[in-house]
Amino acid sequence: KHNDLILGLVIAFLFFLLVFLLYRNINNKRIYRQKYEELMTKGKSARVEERQITSVIADINQDKIKSLLKQLEKFEKDDKFLEKDLTSSKLAVVFGTNAKYLSKIIYHYRGKKFVDYINDLKVDYLISLLQNDKAVRKYSNKALAEEVGFSSTQRFTNAFFARTGMPASFFIQEIKKDEMTDIDENIGF
């Protein structure tokens, strides 16, 4: 009788654990789907949310700020952020300034720390690529990370989740589902 009681409690515990995990999985998918829909509706907006140039950074010359902002725009437009192992020091050398000034300007005008700024640019680029290129949707996370210049798969998955609120695999699944729905609607199903 004692063993039957223990067995019953273990089975009940496993049942409730299974129900909890199932509920959590369904809830996460619902949340991911909401985030996916939000991302797709605002998806056509600009890559980087720029702040208005109304205030100045006290210790940096205004001409230097304008020059660096123009260089940043060209950097973004030419997709130079895809370079692997890009650091603020390397970019500062290319821009002819120092890393401290560059980081301050990015933080002030882009509203992000340097690493977040670069990661967000990479993720936004990848989202666009996934939407437009079916072949890329078949890539593994490791291949996707290499495609946009992340140094590791873990950094990529963390950056993608931080930017979108969902895993890359879920995003790709949803794009495929939406594509199949569009095909079915065009055929008349």
Side-chain angles (χ1 to χ4, degrees):
K1 297 241 176 208
H2 181 69
N3 288 341
D4 290 343
L5 179 65
I6 291 174
L7 180 63
L9 289 174
V10 168
I11 290 173
F13 174 76
L14 290 175
F15 174 75
F16 286 117
L17 181 64
L18 180 65
V19 168
F20 170 75
L21 292 175
L22 186 62
Y23 169 78
R24 199 170 117 206
N25 186 1
I26 291 169
N27 193 42
N28 282 347
K29 284 189 177 186
R30 184 182 53 78
I31 291 168
Y32 295 161
R33 180 67 193 179
Q34 286 175 336
K35 290 184 184 283
Y36 171 81
E37 288 171 2
E38 289 171 13
L39 185 66
M40 296 309 278
T41 56
K42 76 170 188 180
K44 302 296 184 227
S45 64
R47 270 193 205 159
V48 179
E49 305 85 23
E50 291 190 34
R51 291 185 176 186
Q52 292 294 328
I53 304 175
T54 54
S55 60
V56 295
I57 303 173
D59 59 342
I60 304 175
N61 179 320
Q62 190 65 25
D63 293 332
K64 186 67 172 172
I65 291 173
K66 287 179 182 177
S67 169
L68 288 174
L69 286 173
K70 284 182 183 177
Q71 287 177 304
L72 275 176
E73 286 175 23
K74 184 168 176 24
F75 169 78
E76 294 165 8
K77 184 179 167 237
D78 296 341
D79 299 331
K80 299 287 187 183
F81 51 84
L82 296 174
E83 181 182 321
K84 198 170 188 174
D85 298 324
L86 184 65
T87 65
S88 59
S89 300
K90 289 179 182 177
L91 191 57
V93 168
V94 171
F95 285 1
T97 188
N98 66 49
K100 183 179 175 185
Y101 280 8
L102 182 61
S103 292
K104 276 186 177 184
I105 288 171
I106 289 171
Y107 186 76
H108 187 77
Y109 292 100
R110 300 295 194 257
K112 302 171 185 172
K113 293 180 179 177
F114 180 81
V115 171
D116 296 332
Y117 166 70
I118 296 297
N119 286 348
D120 287 353
L121 286 172
K122 289 178 178 189
V123 170
D124 290 345
Y125 177 84
L126 180 62
I127 287 170
S128 176
L129 196 61
L130 288 167
Q131 289 172 327
N132 299 315
D133 189 348
K134 291 181 183 182
V136 176
R137 295 178 200 161
K138 296 176 185 173
Y139 289 8
S140 66
N141 277 349
K142 182 176 180 176
L144 291 172
E146 290 174 7
E147 182 75 22
V148 291
F150 279 97
S151 59
S152 73
T153 306
Q154 187 63 46
R155 286 180 192 246
F156 161 69
T157 56
N158 290 344
F160 194 93
F161 192 88
R163 179 70 172 156
T164 64
M166 72 188 95
S169 57
F170 183 85
F171 180 78
I172 293 168
Q173 276 179 335
E174 292 301 305
I175 287 177
K176 289 177 181 177
K177 280 184 196 174
D178 286 352
E179 187 176 79
M180 291 307 293
T181 302
D182 291 343
I183 290 170
D184 289 346
E185 287 174 1
N186 289 337
I187 294 174
F189 285 117

